[in-house]
Amino acid sequence: MRTLKEKLYQKIEEFRPRTERLLNEYGDIVIDKVTISQAIGGMRGVKSLVTDISYLDPNEGIRYRGYTLEEVFKLLPKPKDAEMPYVEGLFYLLLTGDIPTEEEVADVVDEFSKRRILPRYLYEIIDAQPCCSHPMTIFSTAILTMHRESFFTKKYYAVFNKKDYWDPMYEDVLNLLAKLPEIATYIYAKLYRDGKRIQSNPNLDFGGNFAFMMGKPKPYDDVARLHFILHSDHESGNVSAHTGHLVASSLSDIYLSISAMVNGLAGPLHGLAAQGVLQWLHELIERLGGEEAEPSEDEVRQYVWETLNAGFLIPGFGHAVLRKTDPRYSLQRNFSLKHLKDDPVFRYVDILYRIVPPILQEQGKAKNPWPNVDAQSGVIQWHYGVREYDFYTVLFSIGRALGISANIIWDRALGYPLERPKSLTTDMLEEIAGIKKKPLKEPDHKKKEKSGE
Ligand SMILES: CC(C)(COP(=O)(O)OP(=O)(O)OC[C@H]1O[C@@H](n2cnc3c(N)ncnc32)[C@H](O)[C@@H]1OP(=O)(O)O)[C@@H](O)C(=O)NCCC(=O)NCCS
Protein backbone atom coordinates (compact mmCIF):
# COMPACT_ATOMS: atom_id res chain seq x y z
CA MET A 1 0.00 0.00 0.00
CA ARG A 2 1.24 3.47 -0.87
CA THR A 3 0.92 6.18 1.79
CA LEU A 4 -1.23 9.23 1.05
CA LYS A 5 1.89 11.27 0.36
CA GLU A 6 3.30 8.70 -2.09
CA LYS A 7 -0.05 8.45 -3.86
CA LEU A 8 -0.27 12.22 -4.06
CA TYR A 9 3.23 12.46 -5.52
CA GLN A 10 2.26 10.01 -8.26
CA LYS A 11 -0.94 11.97 -8.99
CA ILE A 12 0.97 15.27 -9.17
CA GLU A 13 3.54 13.86 -11.60
CA GLU A 14 0.75 12.52 -13.82
CA PHE A 15 -1.25 15.76 -13.70
CA ARG A 16 1.43 18.42 -14.27
CA PRO A 17 1.72 17.92 -18.05
CA ARG A 18 -1.99 18.77 -18.44
CA THR A 19 -1.57 22.19 -16.83
CA GLU A 20 1.70 22.79 -18.68
CA ARG A 21 0.14 21.97 -22.06
CA LEU A 22 -2.83 24.29 -21.42
CA LEU A 23 -0.50 27.11 -20.44
CA ASN A 24 2.09 26.64 -23.16
CA GLU A 25 -0.11 25.77 -26.15
CA TYR A 26 -3.60 27.10 -25.38
CA GLY A 27 -2.92 30.02 -23.02
CA ASP A 28 -4.53 32.64 -25.31
CA ILE A 29 -7.91 30.96 -25.64
CA VAL A 30 -10.71 33.16 -24.21
CA ILE A 31 -12.91 31.48 -21.57
CA ASP A 32 -15.07 34.40 -20.40
CA LYS A 33 -15.83 38.10 -20.68
CA VAL A 34 -16.30 40.62 -17.83
CA THR A 35 -19.10 43.17 -17.68
CA ILE A 36 -19.24 46.43 -15.74
CA SER A 37 -21.80 44.97 -13.34
CA GLN A 38 -19.48 42.04 -12.64
CA ALA A 39 -16.50 44.33 -12.02
CA ILE A 40 -18.53 46.45 -9.56
CA GLY A 41 -20.63 43.55 -8.28
CA GLY A 42 -18.14 41.23 -6.64
CA MET A 43 -17.00 39.44 -9.83
CA ARG A 44 -20.14 37.23 -9.74
CA GLY A 45 -19.83 34.39 -12.21
CA VAL A 46 -16.53 35.48 -13.78
CA LYS A 47 -14.75 32.26 -14.71
CA SER A 48 -11.19 32.98 -13.59
CA LEU A 49 -10.19 30.33 -11.05
CA VAL A 50 -9.18 26.70 -11.50
CA THR A 51 -9.70 23.82 -9.09
CA ASP A 52 -10.15 20.10 -9.68
CA ILE A 53 -11.16 19.34 -6.13
CA SER A 54 -14.81 20.36 -6.27
CA TYR A 55 -17.25 21.87 -8.73
CA LEU A 56 -20.48 23.71 -7.92
CA ASP A 57 -23.24 23.33 -10.48
CA PRO A 58 -25.97 25.94 -9.82
CA ASN A 59 -28.74 23.42 -10.43
CA GLU A 60 -27.19 20.34 -8.91
CA GLY A 61 -24.99 21.54 -6.05
CA ILE A 62 -21.49 20.57 -5.11
CA ARG A 63 -19.51 17.55 -6.32
CA TYR A 64 -16.26 16.55 -4.65
CA ARG A 65 -13.83 15.13 -7.23
CA GLY A 66 -16.78 14.36 -9.48
CA TYR A 67 -18.82 12.60 -6.78
CA THR A 68 -22.18 13.95 -5.57
CA LEU A 69 -22.50 14.28 -1.80
CA GLU A 70 -24.80 11.26 -1.71
CA GLU A 71 -22.09 9.21 -3.44
CA VAL A 72 -19.38 10.56 -1.13
CA PHE A 73 -21.34 9.51 1.95
CA LYS A 74 -22.11 6.11 0.42
CA LEU A 75 -18.65 5.26 -0.88
CA LEU A 76 -16.22 6.50 1.79
CA PRO A 77 -15.22 3.98 4.49
CA LYS A 78 -16.88 4.41 7.90
CA PRO A 79 -15.65 3.69 11.41
CA LYS A 80 -17.20 0.60 13.02
CA ASP A 81 -20.86 1.22 14.03
CA ALA A 82 -20.81 4.73 12.51
CA GLU A 83 -23.47 6.19 10.23
CA MET A 84 -21.06 8.75 8.71
CA PRO A 85 -17.69 8.24 6.99
CA TYR A 86 -14.22 9.05 8.25
CA VAL A 87 -13.25 12.72 7.77
CA GLU A 88 -9.74 11.42 7.02
CA GLY A 89 -11.18 9.44 4.09
CA LEU A 90 -12.77 12.60 2.73
CA PHE A 91 -9.42 14.37 2.93
CA TYR A 92 -7.83 11.48 1.02
CA LEU A 93 -10.51 11.81 -1.66
CA LEU A 94 -10.12 15.60 -1.94
CA LEU A 95 -6.37 15.32 -2.24
CA THR A 96 -6.06 12.37 -4.63
CA GLY A 97 -9.44 12.05 -6.36
CA ASP A 98 -9.62 8.39 -5.26
CA ILE A 99 -11.95 6.71 -2.78
CA PRO A 100 -9.56 5.23 -0.21
CA THR A 101 -9.59 1.67 1.05
CA GLU A 102 -10.06 0.93 4.78
CA GLU A 103 -6.31 0.43 5.04
CA GLU A 104 -5.50 3.72 3.32
CA VAL A 105 -7.87 5.58 5.64
CA ALA A 106 -6.33 3.90 8.69
CA ASP A 107 -2.96 5.26 7.60
CA VAL A 108 -4.32 8.84 7.45
CA VAL A 109 -6.09 8.41 10.81
CA ASP A 110 -2.73 7.42 12.25
CA GLU A 111 -0.94 10.39 10.62
CA PHE A 112 -3.49 12.84 12.07
CA SER A 113 -3.32 11.26 15.49
CA LYS A 114 0.49 11.52 15.60
CA ARG A 115 0.41 15.21 14.71
CA ARG A 116 -2.42 16.38 16.96
CA ILE A 117 -0.48 17.61 20.04
CA LEU A 118 -0.46 21.41 20.38
CA PRO A 119 2.68 23.40 21.14
CA ARG A 120 2.57 24.66 24.71
CA TYR A 121 2.60 28.35 23.76
CA LEU A 122 -0.72 27.89 21.98
CA TYR A 123 -2.56 27.25 25.25
CA GLU A 124 -1.00 30.44 26.61
CA ILE A 125 -2.09 32.42 23.54
CA ILE A 126 -5.66 31.12 23.86
CA ASP A 127 -5.72 31.67 27.62
CA ALA A 128 -4.52 35.25 27.11
CA GLN A 129 -7.54 36.17 24.94
CA PRO A 130 -10.22 38.24 26.67
CA CYS A 131 -13.27 36.17 27.58
CA CYS A 132 -15.68 38.21 25.49
CA SER A 133 -13.67 37.56 22.31
CA HIS A 134 -15.54 35.86 19.52
CA PRO A 135 -14.34 32.24 19.18
CA MET A 136 -13.54 32.89 15.50
CA THR A 137 -11.11 35.63 16.51
CA ILE A 138 -9.38 33.31 18.97
CA PHE A 139 -9.35 30.46 16.43
CA SER A 140 -7.78 32.64 13.76
CA THR A 141 -5.21 34.05 16.21
CA ALA A 142 -4.21 30.58 17.39
CA ILE A 143 -3.69 29.36 13.81
CA LEU A 144 -1.78 32.51 12.87
CA THR A 145 0.51 32.14 15.87
CA MET A 146 1.63 28.73 14.61
CA HIS A 147 3.24 30.39 11.58
CA ARG A 148 6.56 29.81 13.34
CA GLU A 149 6.08 26.03 12.91
CA SER A 150 6.00 26.19 9.09
CA PHE A 151 8.34 23.81 7.27
CA PHE A 152 7.46 25.49 4.03
CA THR A 153 8.66 28.91 5.21
CA LYS A 154 11.87 27.47 6.65
CA LYS A 155 12.62 25.50 3.48
CA TYR A 156 11.74 28.42 1.22
CA TYR A 157 14.60 30.49 2.60
CA ALA A 158 16.96 27.54 2.27
CA VAL A 159 16.26 27.68 -1.52
CA PHE A 160 14.66 24.63 -3.07
CA ASN A 161 13.13 23.58 -6.37
CA LYS A 162 9.72 25.11 -7.17
CA LYS A 163 8.43 21.69 -8.19
CA ASP A 164 8.97 20.46 -4.65
CA TYR A 165 7.04 23.28 -2.94
CA TRP A 166 4.07 21.00 -2.42
CA ASP A 167 6.05 18.64 -0.17
CA PRO A 168 6.66 20.88 2.89
CA MET A 169 3.22 22.39 2.25
CA TYR A 170 1.77 18.87 2.61
CA GLU A 171 3.63 18.41 5.90
CA ASP A 172 2.38 21.78 7.18
CA VAL A 173 -1.19 20.96 6.13
CA LEU A 174 -1.27 17.65 7.96
CA ASN A 175 0.30 19.23 11.03
CA LEU A 176 -2.30 22.00 11.05
CA LEU A 177 -5.42 19.96 10.22
CA ALA A 178 -4.64 17.41 12.93
CA LYS A 179 -4.54 20.21 15.49
CA LEU A 180 -7.74 22.05 14.57
CA PRO A 181 -10.12 19.91 16.69
CA GLU A 182 -7.74 20.31 19.65
CA ILE A 183 -7.59 24.09 19.24
CA ALA A 184 -11.35 24.42 18.76
CA THR A 185 -12.29 22.29 21.76
CA TYR A 186 -9.76 24.08 23.96
CA ILE A 187 -11.38 27.41 22.96
CA TYR A 188 -14.81 25.91 23.66
CA ALA A 189 -13.70 24.83 27.15
CA LYS A 190 -12.18 28.23 27.86
CA LEU A 191 -15.19 30.25 26.73
CA TYR A 192 -18.10 28.07 27.85
CA ARG A 193 -16.90 25.39 30.29
CA ASP A 194 -14.84 27.41 32.80
CA GLY A 195 -11.68 26.04 31.20
CA LYS A 196 -12.62 22.43 32.03
CA ARG A 197 -11.01 20.65 29.14
CA ILE A 198 -11.24 17.03 28.07
CA GLN A 199 -7.92 15.67 26.80
CA SER A 200 -7.99 14.00 23.40
CA ASN A 201 -8.15 10.27 22.80
CA PRO A 202 -5.42 9.21 20.33
CA ASN A 203 -7.30 6.01 19.46
CA LEU A 204 -10.22 7.85 17.90
CA ASP A 205 -10.68 9.23 14.40
CA PHE A 206 -10.99 12.97 13.62
CA GLY A 207 -14.77 13.15 14.15
CA GLY A 208 -14.82 10.71 17.06
CA ASN A 209 -12.04 12.53 18.89
CA PHE A 210 -13.72 15.89 18.34
CA ALA A 211 -16.95 14.57 19.91
CA PHE A 212 -14.93 13.07 22.76
CA MET A 213 -13.20 16.38 23.51
CA MET A 214 -16.54 18.21 23.33
CA GLY A 215 -17.81 15.77 25.95
CA LYS A 216 -20.66 14.63 23.71
CA PRO A 217 -21.86 11.03 23.53
CA LYS A 218 -22.93 9.21 20.36
CA PRO A 219 -24.26 10.07 17.85
CA TYR A 220 -22.40 13.41 18.14
CA ASP A 221 -19.33 11.72 16.59
CA ASP A 222 -21.43 11.20 13.46
CA VAL A 223 -22.76 14.76 13.69
CA ALA A 224 -19.15 15.99 13.70
CA ARG A 225 -18.19 13.79 10.72
CA LEU A 226 -21.28 14.90 8.79
CA HIS A 227 -20.61 18.56 9.58
CA PHE A 228 -16.91 18.57 8.66
CA ILE A 229 -17.43 16.64 5.43
CA LEU A 230 -20.36 18.80 4.28
CA HIS A 231 -18.52 22.05 4.92
CA SER A 232 -15.16 21.03 3.45
CA ASP A 233 -15.26 22.52 -0.03
CA HIS A 234 -17.53 24.58 -2.29
CA GLU A 235 -15.25 25.21 -5.27
CA SER A 236 -12.88 28.18 -5.25
CA GLY A 237 -14.80 31.44 -5.65
CA ASN A 238 -16.48 31.70 -2.23
CA VAL A 239 -14.90 34.14 0.21
CA SER A 240 -13.12 31.64 2.48
CA ALA A 241 -11.76 29.44 -0.33
CA HIS A 242 -10.74 32.39 -2.43
CA THR A 243 -9.06 34.12 0.52
CA GLY A 244 -7.08 30.99 1.43
CA HIS A 245 -5.96 30.56 -2.18
CA LEU A 246 -5.15 34.26 -2.64
CA VAL A 247 -3.03 34.52 0.50
CA ALA A 248 -1.24 31.26 -0.32
CA SER A 249 -0.51 32.57 -3.82
CA SER A 250 2.08 34.96 -2.38
CA LEU A 251 3.80 31.82 -1.00
CA SER A 252 2.48 32.55 2.47
CA ASP A 253 2.45 29.30 4.42
CA ILE A 254 -0.60 27.31 5.44
CA TYR A 255 -0.91 28.96 8.87
CA LEU A 256 -1.11 32.47 7.36
CA SER A 257 -3.47 31.25 4.65
CA ILE A 258 -5.90 29.31 6.83
CA SER A 259 -5.99 32.06 9.45
CA ALA A 260 -7.01 34.45 6.64
CA MET A 261 -9.58 31.93 5.41
CA VAL A 262 -11.10 31.83 8.91
CA ASN A 263 -11.40 35.64 8.89
CA GLY A 264 -13.29 35.52 5.60
CA LEU A 265 -15.61 32.86 6.93
CA ALA A 266 -16.37 35.02 9.98
CA GLY A 267 -18.53 37.45 7.98
CA PRO A 268 -22.36 37.32 8.33
CA LEU A 269 -22.92 36.86 4.59
CA HIS A 270 -20.70 33.77 4.66
CA GLY A 271 -19.99 31.29 7.49
CA LEU A 272 -21.35 33.45 10.29
CA ALA A 273 -24.81 32.91 8.80
CA ALA A 274 -24.94 29.61 10.77
CA GLN A 275 -24.87 31.66 13.97
CA GLY A 276 -27.26 34.24 12.48
CA VAL A 277 -29.84 31.54 11.71
CA LEU A 278 -30.02 30.39 15.32
CA GLN A 279 -30.14 33.95 16.68
CA TRP A 280 -33.00 34.81 14.35
CA LEU A 281 -34.78 31.50 15.02
CA HIS A 282 -34.73 32.09 18.75
CA GLU A 283 -36.14 35.58 18.35
CA LEU A 284 -38.90 34.01 16.28
CA ILE A 285 -39.53 31.23 18.82
CA GLU A 286 -39.66 33.68 21.71
CA ARG A 287 -42.08 35.88 19.82
CA LEU A 288 -44.41 32.95 19.11
CA GLY A 289 -44.56 31.74 22.72
CA GLY A 290 -41.42 29.66 23.28
CA GLU A 291 -40.33 26.14 22.40
CA GLU A 292 -43.47 24.52 23.83
CA ALA A 293 -45.85 26.60 21.70
CA GLU A 294 -47.43 25.15 18.56
CA PRO A 295 -46.50 27.70 15.88
CA SER A 296 -48.90 28.15 12.99
CA GLU A 297 -47.51 28.63 9.49
CA ASP A 298 -49.36 31.94 9.24
CA GLU A 299 -47.64 33.33 12.35
CA VAL A 300 -44.22 32.28 11.03
CA ARG A 301 -45.07 33.73 7.62
CA GLN A 302 -45.94 37.06 9.23
CA TYR A 303 -42.60 37.09 11.11
CA VAL A 304 -40.66 36.39 7.91
CA TRP A 305 -42.40 39.29 6.17
CA GLU A 306 -41.72 41.59 9.13
CA THR A 307 -38.02 40.70 8.93
CA LEU A 308 -37.93 41.45 5.21
CA ASN A 309 -39.99 44.64 5.50
CA ALA A 310 -37.60 45.88 8.19
CA GLY A 311 -34.85 45.56 5.55
CA PHE A 312 -33.19 42.45 7.00
CA LEU A 313 -32.13 39.24 5.27
CA ILE A 314 -33.57 35.84 6.07
CA PRO A 315 -30.42 34.06 7.23
CA GLY A 316 -29.77 30.63 5.73
CA PHE A 317 -31.63 31.34 2.48
CA GLY A 318 -30.20 32.40 -0.86
CA HIS A 319 -26.87 31.71 -2.50
CA ALA A 320 -24.52 33.51 -4.86
CA VAL A 321 -24.20 30.49 -7.19
CA LEU A 322 -26.80 27.84 -6.29
CA ARG A 323 -30.25 28.01 -7.84
CA LYS A 324 -31.87 25.14 -5.95
CA THR A 325 -32.06 23.76 -2.41
CA ASP A 326 -28.48 23.21 -1.28
CA PRO A 327 -27.81 19.44 -1.20
CA ARG A 328 -25.82 20.07 1.99
CA TYR A 329 -29.08 21.36 3.47
CA SER A 330 -30.98 18.30 2.21
CA LEU A 331 -28.50 15.84 3.71
CA GLN A 332 -28.70 17.56 7.09
CA ARG A 333 -32.49 17.71 6.80
CA ASN A 334 -32.59 13.95 6.21
CA PHE A 335 -30.39 13.46 9.28
CA SER A 336 -32.72 15.73 11.28
CA LEU A 337 -35.86 13.93 10.09
CA LYS A 338 -34.27 10.73 11.40
CA HIS A 339 -32.77 11.98 14.68
CA LEU A 340 -34.45 15.30 15.57
CA LYS A 341 -37.99 14.79 14.37
CA ASP A 342 -39.57 15.94 17.64
CA ASP A 343 -37.07 18.67 18.45
CA PRO A 344 -39.03 21.90 19.05
CA VAL A 345 -36.48 24.08 17.22
CA PHE A 346 -36.39 21.70 14.25
CA ARG A 347 -40.20 22.11 14.01
CA TYR A 348 -39.64 25.78 13.20
CA VAL A 349 -36.82 24.97 10.75
CA ASP A 350 -39.20 22.55 9.04
CA ILE A 351 -41.90 25.23 8.71
CA LEU A 352 -39.37 27.74 7.37
CA TYR A 353 -38.25 25.16 4.78
CA ARG A 354 -41.78 25.21 3.37
CA ILE A 355 -42.76 28.85 3.69
CA VAL A 356 -39.64 31.00 3.11
CA PRO A 357 -38.96 30.15 -0.57
CA PRO A 358 -42.42 31.25 -1.80
CA ILE A 359 -42.12 34.46 0.28
CA LEU A 360 -38.70 35.29 -1.18
CA GLN A 361 -40.11 34.53 -4.64
CA GLU A 362 -43.04 36.86 -3.99
CA GLN A 363 -40.68 39.57 -2.75
CA GLY A 364 -38.78 39.09 -6.00
CA LYS A 365 -35.28 40.15 -4.93
CA ALA A 366 -33.25 37.05 -4.06
CA LYS A 367 -32.10 35.19 -7.17
CA ASN A 368 -32.15 31.95 -5.18
CA PRO A 369 -35.02 31.63 -2.69
CA TRP A 370 -33.98 28.16 -1.47
CA PRO A 371 -32.29 27.21 1.82
CA ASN A 372 -28.50 26.87 2.04
CA VAL A 373 -26.29 24.78 4.32
CA ASP A 374 -26.49 27.26 7.21
CA ALA A 375 -30.27 27.05 7.55
CA GLN A 376 -29.98 23.54 8.96
CA SER A 377 -26.55 23.05 10.51
CA GLY A 378 -27.05 25.06 13.73
CA VAL A 379 -30.24 23.33 14.82
CA ILE A 380 -28.43 19.97 14.83
CA GLN A 381 -25.70 21.39 17.08
CA TRP A 382 -28.36 22.94 19.30
CA HIS A 383 -30.16 19.62 19.62
CA TYR A 384 -26.99 17.87 20.81
CA GLY A 385 -26.31 20.52 23.42
CA VAL A 386 -23.84 22.80 21.64
CA ARG A 387 -25.95 25.86 22.35
CA GLU A 388 -23.31 28.57 22.19
CA TYR A 389 -24.09 29.55 18.66
CA ASP A 390 -21.20 31.90 18.16
CA PHE A 391 -19.14 28.67 18.13
CA TYR A 392 -20.87 27.32 15.01
CA THR A 393 -18.61 29.10 12.54
CA VAL A 394 -15.58 27.53 14.23
CA LEU A 395 -17.08 24.14 13.37
CA PHE A 396 -17.57 25.36 9.79
CA SER A 397 -13.92 26.48 9.72
CA ILE A 398 -12.59 23.06 10.70
CA GLY A 399 -14.46 21.50 7.80
CA ARG A 400 -13.58 24.24 5.32
CA ALA A 401 -9.87 24.02 6.20
CA LEU A 402 -9.81 20.46 4.79
CA GLY A 403 -10.83 21.55 1.30
CA ILE A 404 -8.82 24.74 1.17
CA SER A 405 -5.66 23.01 2.38
CA ALA A 406 -6.06 20.33 -0.28
CA ASN A 407 -6.41 23.10 -2.86
CA ILE A 408 -3.34 24.93 -1.61
CA ILE A 409 -1.17 21.79 -1.82
CA TRP A 410 -2.28 21.41 -5.45
CA ASP A 411 -1.66 25.14 -6.08
CA ARG A 412 1.94 24.53 -5.05
CA ALA A 413 2.21 21.27 -6.99
CA LEU A 414 1.02 22.86 -10.24
CA GLY A 415 3.02 26.04 -9.70
CA TYR A 416 0.04 28.41 -9.67
CA PRO A 417 1.49 31.92 -9.55
CA LEU A 418 0.82 35.01 -7.47
CA GLU A 419 -2.82 36.08 -7.97
CA ARG A 420 -3.01 39.60 -9.38
CA PRO A 421 -6.14 40.71 -11.26
CA LYS A 422 -6.25 44.25 -12.69
CA SER A 423 -8.39 47.10 -11.38
CA LEU A 424 -9.85 50.08 -13.24
CA THR A 425 -11.09 53.48 -12.09
CA THR A 426 -14.73 54.66 -12.27
CA ASP A 427 -13.56 57.23 -14.86
CA MET A 428 -12.32 54.37 -17.01
CA LEU A 429 -15.60 52.47 -16.67
CA GLU A 430 -17.52 55.61 -17.75
CA GLU A 431 -15.16 55.89 -20.70
CA ILE A 432 -15.79 52.27 -21.67
CA ALA A 433 -19.57 52.81 -21.27
CA GLY A 434 -19.38 55.91 -23.51
CA ILE A 435 -20.90 58.24 -20.85
CA LYS A 436 -17.78 60.06 -19.69
CA LYS A 437 -18.99 63.54 -20.60
CA LYS A 438 -22.71 63.02 -20.01
CA PRO A 439 -23.89 64.82 -16.82
CA LEU A 440 -25.41 62.65 -14.07
CA LYS A 441 -29.17 62.91 -13.50
CA GLU A 442 -29.82 65.23 -10.55
CA PRO A 443 -30.63 63.31 -7.35
CA ASP A 444 -34.28 63.66 -6.22
CA HIS A 445 -33.42 65.54 -2.98
CA LYS A 446 -31.60 68.26 -4.99
CA LYS A 447 -34.60 68.72 -7.28
CA LYS A 448 -36.83 69.09 -4.23
CA GLU A 449 -34.47 71.67 -2.68
CA LYS A 450 -34.60 73.74 -5.87
CA SER A 451 -38.38 73.60 -6.11
CA GLY A 452 -38.61 74.66 -2.47
CA GLU A 453 -40.45 71.49 -1.33
C1 LIG B 1 -25.89 34.19 0.25
C2 LIG B 1 -26.07 35.63 -0.20
C3 LIG B 1 -24.99 36.48 0.47
C4 LIG B 1 -25.91 35.69 -1.71
O1 LIG B 1 -25.85 37.03 -2.06
P1 LIG B 1 -26.14 37.53 -3.57
O2 LIG B 1 -25.39 36.67 -4.52
O3 LIG B 1 -25.87 39.00 -3.59
O4 LIG B 1 -27.68 37.20 -3.69
P2 LIG B 1 -28.71 37.77 -4.78
O5 LIG B 1 -28.01 38.11 -6.04
O6 LIG B 1 -29.80 36.78 -4.83
O7 LIG B 1 -29.22 39.12 -4.11
C5 LIG B 1 -30.19 39.93 -4.76
C6 LIG B 1 -31.00 40.65 -3.73
O8 LIG B 1 -31.75 39.70 -2.96
C7 LIG B 1 -31.50 39.91 -1.59
N1 LIG B 1 -31.45 38.63 -0.88
C8 LIG B 1 -30.66 37.57 -1.17
N2 LIG B 1 -30.82 36.61 -0.23
C9 LIG B 1 -31.74 37.09 0.64
C10 LIG B 1 -32.29 36.58 1.84
N3 LIG B 1 -31.93 35.41 2.34
N4 LIG B 1 -33.20 37.33 2.48
C11 LIG B 1 -33.58 38.54 2.00
N5 LIG B 1 -33.06 39.09 0.88
C12 LIG B 1 -32.15 38.35 0.21
C13 LIG B 1 -30.10 40.55 -1.56
O9 LIG B 1 -29.88 41.23 -0.34
C14 LIG B 1 -30.18 41.46 -2.75
O10 LIG B 1 -30.92 42.61 -2.38
P3 LIG B 1 -30.53 44.08 -2.95
O11 LIG B 1 -30.74 43.97 -4.42
O12 LIG B 1 -31.50 44.97 -2.25
O13 LIG B 1 -29.10 44.32 -2.57
C15 LIG B 1 -27.50 36.14 0.18
O14 LIG B 1 -28.45 35.27 -0.38
C16 LIG B 1 -27.68 36.27 1.67
O15 LIG B 1 -27.28 37.27 2.24
N6 LIG B 1 -28.32 35.24 2.33
C17 LIG B 1 -28.47 35.28 3.75
C18 LIG B 1 -27.16 35.00 4.45
C19 LIG B 1 -26.72 33.56 4.26
O16 LIG B 1 -27.50 32.64 4.42
N7 LIG B 1 -25.43 33.37 3.96
C20 LIG B 1 -24.83 32.04 3.83
C21 LIG B 1 -24.60 31.66 2.43
S1 LIG B 1 -24.01 30.02 2.27
Side-chain angles (χ1 to χ4, degrees):
M1 183 198 79
R2 262 193 286 242
T3 64
L4 173 58
K5 192 168 177 183
E6 288 161 351
K7 178 75 158 281
L8 179 63
Y9 175 64
Q10 178 205 339
K11 295 271 174 184
I12 290 170
E13 290 294 304
E14 286 165 7
F15 199 96
R16 266 188 193 134
R18 293 177 63 191
T19 305
E20 283 165 4
R21 181 171 69 166
L22 283 169
L23 265 180
N24 297 338
E25 297 173 37
Y26 303 94
D28 290 336
I29 290 183
V30 175
I31 49 176
D32 211 351
K33 62 178 172 41
V34 182
T35 63
I36 287 180
S37 68
Q38 285 174 313
I40 296 177
M43 296 185 279
R44 288 291 189 292
V46 179
K47 297 186 188 80
S48 56
L49 292 163
V50 185
T51 174
D52 298 286
I53 289 179
S54 67
Y55 180 73
L56 179 60
D57 182 285
N59 296 308
E60 185 195 50
I62 194 71
R63 277 180 185 254
Y64 297 157
R65 290 288 188 177
Y67 295 100
T68 63
L69 288 179
E70 300 246 336
E71 288 165 342
V72 166
F73 280 90
K74 193 164 152 231
L75 295 173
L76 285 179
K78 300 181 176 72
K80 198 166 172 293
D81 301 326
E83 200 181 323
M84 299 295 160
Y86 284 105
V87 175
E88 292 89 335
L90 179 270
F91 184 63
Y92 190 105
L93 169 66
L94 295 181
L95 215 45
T96 65
D98 292 347
I99 301 284
T101 61
E102 298 265 356
E103 211 187 355
E104 284 164 336
V105 174
D107 179 56
V108 186
V109 171
D110 189 45
E111 276 293 326
F112 273 51
S113 178
K114 283 194 294 216
R115 297 169 189 246
R116 72 185 200 290
I117 303 293
L118 302 185
R120 193 177 175 74
Y121 64 80
L122 214 55
Y123 297 111
E124 289 160 15
I125 287 288
I126 296 171
D127 288 342
Q129 302 292 312
C131 254
C132 52
S133 295
H134 194 283
M136 284 294 275
T137 314
I138 309 181
F139 197 54
S140 169
T141 308
I143 294 168
L144 185 63
T145 309
M146 281 197 295
H147 164 63
R148 68 194 286 281
E149 308 292 331
S150 172
F151 283 124
F152 178 83
T153 300
K154 283 181 198 123
K155 273 208 104 169
Y156 182 76
Y157 289 107
V159 183
F160 69 117
N161 192 320
K162 238 180 146 177
K163 287 203 159 159
D164 298 330
Y165 280 0
W166 69 272
D167 183 316
M169 195 51 114
Y170 171 91
E171 296 298 333
D172 281 352
V173 163
L174 262 78
N175 284 338
L176 173 63
L177 292 178
K179 293 179 179 58
L180 293 181
E182 307 266 338
I183 299 173
T185 51
Y186 189 74
I187 293 172
Y188 187 78
K190 170 196 161 69
L191 291 181
Y192 316 115
R193 294 289 177 269
D194 295 327
K196 289 190 195 99
R197 167 193 181 215
I198 301 172
Q199 301 270 0
S200 65
N201 179 344
N203 301 318
L204 294 172
D205 64 293
F206 196 90
N209 193 30
F210 181 78
F212 183 79
M213 290 187 286
M214 289 291 285
K216 301 284 171 207
K218 276 181 178 300
Y220 191 76
D221 53 345
D222 272 329
V223 169
R225 293 183 192 106
L226 172 71
H227 192 95
F228 298 148
I229 292 175
L230 281 183
H231 289 82
S232 64
D233 212 32
H234 221 221
E235 67 167 43
S236 281
N238 63 78
V239 170
S240 53
H242 191 191
T243 309
H245 164 79
L246 172 67
V247 173
S249 84
S250 72
L251 297 187
S252 287
D253 62 51
I254 201 69
Y255 301 99
L256 298 168
S257 309
I258 295 296
S259 172
M261 167 218 107
V262 169
N263 299 342
L265 204 58
L269 295 186
H270 194 19
L272 208 75
Q275 158 181 343
V277 168
L278 260 278
Q279 261 159 2
W280 182 77
L281 255 179
H282 277 99
E283 281 156 22
L284 161 69
I285 292 170
E286 206 169 299
R287 169 78 176 274
L288 299 191
E291 289 192 3
E292 303 313 316
E294 284 292 333
S296 77
E297 289 199 2
D298 273 347
E299 286 173 308
V300 179
R301 202 171 279 121
Q302 192 187 339
Y303 189 81
V304 172
W305 272 116
E306 276 176 29
T307 304
L308 289 173
N309 292 337
F312 293 111
L313 300 161
I314 308 301
F317 287 79
H319 199 272
V321 177
L322 276 169
R323 293 297 175 257
K324 65 163 267 183
T325 296
D326 190 336
R328 300 171 300 173
Y329 177 94
S330 304
L331 273 153
Q332 294 185 102
R333 177 172 163 80
N334 292 343
F335 183 90
S336 303
L337 287 169
K338 185 168 171 194
H339 295 280
L340 279 64
K341 206 165 181 338
D342 299 321
D343 184 285
V345 182
F346 177 64
R347 271 203 333 254
Y348 282 86
V349 173
D350 190 38
I351 294 178
L352 292 167
Y353 170 71
R354 289 193 296 276
I355 67 161
V356 172
I359 294 177
L360 287 176
Q361 277 167 329
E362 191 181 331
Q363 193 206 28
K365 277 169 72 173
K367 294 191 188 71
N368 178 48
W370 310 107
N372 62 55
V373 65
D374 298 319
Q376 181 64 77
S377 53
V379 66
I380 301 179
Q381 296 297 328
W382 181 266
H383 178 82
Y384 290 104
V386 183
R387 300 202 155 182
E388 302 80 6
Y389 33 75
D390 51 0
F391 191 67
Y392 295 171
T393 317
V394 174
L395 302 176
F396 192 154
S397 306
I398 298 175
R400 185 50 55 93
L402 294 156
I404 297 177
S405 303
N407 270 291
I408 291 174
I409 292 173
W410 272 96
D411 288 350
R412 294 286 74 84
L414 299 178
Y416 284 178
L418 184 78
E419 195 174 294
R420 181 46 168 107
K422 180 84 187 81
S423 53
L424 299 171
T425 65
T426 304
D427 267 352
M428 289 169 184
L429 291 184
E430 286 169 343
E431 190 86 44
I432 293 167
I435 53 166
K436 181 92 186 87
K437 298 212 169 79
K438 280 193 193 162
L440 278 172
K441 269 205 271 175
E442 245 182 295
D444 286 347
H445 71 275
K446 285 267 177 189
K447 278 190 213 154
K448 282 179 191 160
E449 273 166 26
K450 274 191 198 159
S451 69
E453 269 181 60

